[in-house]
Amino acid sequence: MQLSGAQILIRELAGHGVTTVFGYPGGAVLDIYDRLQEEGCPLRHVLTAHEQGAAHAADGYARASGGVGVVIATSGPGATNLVTGIATAYLDSVPLIAITGNVAAQLLGRDSFQEVDIIGVTQPIVKHSFLVKDVCHLAKTLCEAFAIATTGRRGPVLVDLPKSVQTAVCDYQPPDDAPPAKRQAPDIDVSAAVAAIRQSRRPFLYCGGGVLAAGAEAEAMALSRRLSAPIGLSMMGLTSVPHSFPLNLGMCGMHGRYAATRAQSEADLIIAAGVRFSERATGNTSEYTGGRTVLHIDIDTAEIGKNIRPQIGLCGDVKDILAALLPAVPEMCNREWVERALAGKQADEAQARPGFTPRAIIRAVAEALGPDALVATDVGQHQMWTMQHYPFERQRSLLTSGGLGTMGFGLGAAIGGCIQRGGRRTVLFTSDGSFGMNLTELATAVSQRLPIAVVLLNNGSLGMVRQWQTLFYGGRYSQTTLHRQTDFPALARAFGAEGARARTLSELHAALAELPEDGPCVIDCPIDMDEQVLPMIPPGGSIKNIMMK
Amino acid sequence: MDGKFAVGLITANHFGVLNRVAGLYSKRGYNIDSLAVGETDNPAYSRMTIVSTGDDYMREQVVRQLKKLHDVKSVMLLEEGAAVGVEHLLIKLRAQGQGKALLSALINAFGGKTMDFGEDFVTADVTGSPQRIDAFIAEGKRFGILEVCRSGLIAMATGGRAALAAPTDSEENEEKGA
């Protein structure tokens, strides 16, 4: 069958189960877009306002589904606008396929119009990338791209398609796509791990994004129950265990819950599953590891020993390893340990203050929208408050930029996630700083008629940076007070969205009760500029340095 | 403790591979002391020997991170005592009259060859361990060095086993079929 490169691309995307792509047209992808508008095209294309928004949307789509997200951009500036989105996906191990157009193959390297070496630009932030120079290799290359993005530790793959490859025609044979390697029980010796667990009096289970990636939520909870091990979560692992799971103490780390941080610091064994021990999660590494055994389980061998040197490292699929451990360990219960760990929650609860506080706002939203809502965040204080106070019950119900900490991630991600969930109620927690970065995507949420509630915690400053300036820079607020006069509800209306302002909890309740079902609504919630994210462990510190107020 | 270490790797033989490999070093702020690359007996693959300086942590990270690259087929640390290594030197030296005879003797003493010569210069080819190459260059300074070109270390594990070989065509097909 004679097909053009553009046709092959669409066939292969559909063949790999893709139904929705996000993107933005341009000169070097005209052939692809010409095929996308054809009747019977199996792909829905979602046009965003900016390529960065498209990349975050594809990322949000992937995070919400556990599958692949696809973004298409033209050459040059279209491609470079993807960079932050690709890096965000890379740091959080999200399987993203980025398709970029490029100038015709014979024009490569001549500084042609809108030409950029996007393979070179993105090289350190992709799992792999391909420049396809011959249309005959396109189908096979795309199969490889999907396989790389979705196997092992997941990550973004970029496929650069010169315009000449999109137009060139070849005899297309669907590649005999080898079925994905069947998952086998790991050939891993768990005996050292079992011995360490048997010896432990105070085991602690630390779950990360790898638990979600492997679909190991049930195994993690079963292990926690079997060992009576309290669970702490990394930010990427936050939805792997429901908030209501009795032994779930919440997020660990710099802005983690006191209960989780204390229990982790008092444990004699940390079973770390699918985490990479980011410095924001561990603080001082010698304090972190001192006096306890660390058992590190991860699919990426390079992570074992990279940031923390564990006594025991098990490399493989987290689900397989936890499943292998489960029948090999005894039922254990150190009542004193569990009770002390759970008692730590009181310190967290004691932090509640009356009034229109971030905590009260987030809890009110959670209550109004229920456990099925999808939650996205931007980056900063509002993000940490969401991590601390939103009671996540469903796996993959949180879309947040962890490793890269990308301000401006949230709206695009909310759009992608909302579409992936078939237009389910979605809430974006953001702030005046983060929202200001990519708010043009409101146009996309309007055109796609997406029920996204944008809850904007408006403190008139770049709050997280301000917090650090307060604590560590003598209150010198260099360039963090915004002095802006943006009227967010009016701005929302200008985009064709709805807008409201809530200064009290009852105003917030009223606004939440009237959220439109077929479009976005921005709820501007003014909060105090000096609200801080607490607890906080200063960088490089430990539980000894924790600031509670 | 910091020390030089050599890594051998088999990679796919196409554009961009060298960038990805070198990027793993530069991302961590580590210099590559030498890098030698060439096609293997199977033209689909290249073999590289990379010498760098770092501590045990860096050695381990480099090897593990290299293993993750899609284009890298196999990686091994080529440790002293368990590997043989040589480097190739082309060196152009000033030499006239009496000096030529002395230089000729030096080249012979190092088992080298004269590759080119003229009225006032000699270009020599010397092969040996990096230390031996260093020694030759030090001696050469007495004559006056015009140009130096070192290949970088190439190294191979000792013993009779194929420790780091490119897949053969049949192995490749097997891999694809699996």
Short mmCIF file of all heavy atoms in Angstrom, two decimals, chain A residues 28 75-77 102-117 162-163:
data_model
loop_
_atom_site.label_atom_id
_atom_site.label_comp_id
_atom_site.label_asym_id
_atom_site.label_seq_id
_atom_site.Cartn_x
_atom_site.Cartn_y
_atom_site.Cartn_z
N ALA A 28 5.99 23.41 8.70
CA ALA A 28 6.70 22.15 8.53
C ALA A 28 5.86 20.93 8.90
O ALA A 28 6.34 19.80 8.82
CB ALA A 28 7.99 22.16 9.35
N SER A 75 8.32 22.99 13.11
CA SER A 75 9.77 23.13 13.29
C SER A 75 10.11 24.42 14.05
O SER A 75 9.23 25.22 14.35
CB SER A 75 10.43 23.17 11.91
OG SER A 75 9.96 24.31 11.21
N GLY A 76 11.36 24.63 14.29
CA GLY A 76 11.86 25.89 14.84
C GLY A 76 11.19 26.28 16.14
O GLY A 76 11.26 25.53 17.13
N PRO A 77 10.53 27.45 16.17
CA PRO A 77 9.95 27.91 17.43
C PRO A 77 8.86 26.98 17.95
O PRO A 77 8.67 26.86 19.17
CB PRO A 77 9.37 29.29 17.08
CG PRO A 77 9.19 29.26 15.60
CD PRO A 77 10.28 28.39 15.07
N ASN A 102 10.19 19.29 10.62
CA ASN A 102 11.44 20.01 10.39
C ASN A 102 11.49 20.38 8.91
O ASN A 102 10.64 19.94 8.14
CB ASN A 102 12.65 19.18 10.80
CG ASN A 102 13.80 20.08 11.27
OD1 ASN A 102 13.93 21.22 10.81
ND2 ASN A 102 14.61 19.60 12.18
N VAL A 103 12.46 21.19 8.56
CA VAL A 103 12.58 21.57 7.15
C VAL A 103 12.89 20.33 6.33
O VAL A 103 13.29 19.29 6.88
CB VAL A 103 13.67 22.65 6.98
CG1 VAL A 103 13.30 23.89 7.77
CG2 VAL A 103 15.04 22.13 7.43
N ALA A 104 12.72 20.42 5.03
CA ALA A 104 12.97 19.27 4.15
C ALA A 104 14.38 18.75 4.38
O ALA A 104 15.30 19.53 4.68
CB ALA A 104 12.79 19.69 2.70
N ALA A 105 14.54 17.44 4.27
CA ALA A 105 15.82 16.81 4.62
C ALA A 105 16.99 17.47 3.90
O ALA A 105 18.05 17.66 4.48
CB ALA A 105 15.76 15.32 4.33
N GLN A 106 16.78 17.85 2.63
CA GLN A 106 17.91 18.45 1.87
C GLN A 106 18.25 19.86 2.36
O GLN A 106 19.29 20.39 2.02
CB GLN A 106 17.64 18.42 0.36
CG GLN A 106 16.49 19.27 -0.10
CD GLN A 106 15.14 18.53 -0.06
OE1 GLN A 106 15.01 17.51 0.62
NE2 GLN A 106 14.17 19.03 -0.79
N LEU A 107 17.36 20.46 3.17
CA LEU A 107 17.64 21.81 3.69
C LEU A 107 18.21 21.79 5.10
O LEU A 107 18.58 22.83 5.65
CB LEU A 107 16.35 22.65 3.69
CG LEU A 107 15.79 23.02 2.32
CD1 LEU A 107 14.48 23.78 2.47
CD2 LEU A 107 16.78 23.86 1.53
N LEU A 108 18.28 20.59 5.71
CA LEU A 108 18.79 20.49 7.09
C LEU A 108 20.20 21.05 7.17
O LEU A 108 21.03 20.81 6.30
CB LEU A 108 18.80 19.04 7.56
CG LEU A 108 17.45 18.42 7.94
CD1 LEU A 108 17.62 16.92 8.18
CD2 LEU A 108 16.85 19.09 9.16
N GLY A 109 20.46 21.81 8.21
CA GLY A 109 21.82 22.30 8.43
C GLY A 109 22.16 23.54 7.65
O GLY A 109 23.30 23.99 7.67
N ARG A 110 21.17 24.13 6.96
CA ARG A 110 21.45 25.34 6.18
C ARG A 110 20.87 26.58 6.84
O ARG A 110 20.74 27.61 6.20
CB ARG A 110 20.86 25.20 4.77
CG ARG A 110 21.53 24.09 3.98
CD ARG A 110 20.72 23.77 2.73
NE ARG A 110 21.24 22.60 2.07
CZ ARG A 110 22.02 22.65 0.99
NH1 ARG A 110 22.34 23.79 0.45
NH2 ARG A 110 22.46 21.53 0.45
N ASP A 111 20.46 26.46 8.10
CA ASP A 111 19.78 27.57 8.78
C ASP A 111 18.59 28.04 7.97
O ASP A 111 18.36 29.23 7.77
CB ASP A 111 20.75 28.73 9.07
CG ASP A 111 21.82 28.34 10.07
OD1 ASP A 111 21.53 27.46 10.92
OD2 ASP A 111 22.93 28.88 10.00
N SER A 112 17.82 27.09 7.48
CA SER A 112 16.64 27.39 6.69
C SER A 112 15.60 28.06 7.59
O SER A 112 15.71 28.02 8.82
CB SER A 112 16.06 26.09 6.13
OG SER A 112 17.10 25.34 5.53
N PHE A 113 14.56 28.59 6.99
CA PHE A 113 13.51 29.27 7.76
C PHE A 113 12.89 28.30 8.77
O PHE A 113 12.50 27.19 8.42
CB PHE A 113 12.44 29.82 6.82
CG PHE A 113 11.30 30.48 7.57
CD1 PHE A 113 11.52 31.62 8.33
CD2 PHE A 113 10.02 29.95 7.52
CE1 PHE A 113 10.49 32.21 9.03
CE2 PHE A 113 8.98 30.54 8.23
CZ PHE A 113 9.21 31.67 8.99
N GLN A 114 12.78 28.72 9.99
CA GLN A 114 12.23 27.93 11.09
C GLN A 114 12.94 26.59 11.24
O GLN A 114 12.31 25.58 11.55
CB GLN A 114 10.71 27.74 10.93
CG GLN A 114 9.95 29.06 11.13
CD GLN A 114 8.45 28.88 11.29
OE1 GLN A 114 7.87 27.94 10.77
NE2 GLN A 114 7.83 29.80 12.03
N GLU A 115 14.24 26.59 11.02
CA GLU A 115 14.98 25.35 11.25
C GLU A 115 15.69 25.44 12.60
O GLU A 115 16.31 26.45 12.93
CB GLU A 115 16.04 25.12 10.18
CG GLU A 115 16.81 23.81 10.43
CD GLU A 115 18.04 23.63 9.57
OE1 GLU A 115 18.30 24.44 8.68
OE2 GLU A 115 18.76 22.65 9.84
N VAL A 116 15.57 24.40 13.39
CA VAL A 116 16.39 24.30 14.59
C VAL A 116 16.73 22.82 14.79
O VAL A 116 15.97 21.94 14.38
CB VAL A 116 15.64 24.89 15.82
CG1 VAL A 116 14.59 23.93 16.35
CG2 VAL A 116 16.61 25.26 16.92
N ASP A 117 17.90 22.58 15.34
CA ASP A 117 18.31 21.20 15.61
C ASP A 117 17.64 20.77 16.92
O ASP A 117 18.24 20.82 17.98
CB ASP A 117 19.84 21.15 15.73
CG ASP A 117 20.33 19.80 16.23
OD1 ASP A 117 19.55 18.82 16.20
OD2 ASP A 117 21.50 19.72 16.66
N PRO A 162 11.35 15.63 9.00
CA PRO A 162 11.49 16.65 7.96
C PRO A 162 10.26 16.62 7.04
O PRO A 162 9.65 15.57 6.82
CB PRO A 162 12.75 16.21 7.21
CG PRO A 162 13.51 15.40 8.19
CD PRO A 162 12.48 14.70 9.03
N LYS A 163 9.94 17.81 6.55
CA LYS A 163 8.75 17.94 5.69
C LYS A 163 8.82 16.96 4.50
O LYS A 163 7.82 16.38 4.11
CB LYS A 163 8.68 19.39 5.19
CG LYS A 163 7.36 19.77 4.56
CD LYS A 163 7.37 21.27 4.25
CE LYS A 163 6.24 21.63 3.30
NZ LYS A 163 5.01 22.01 3.97
#
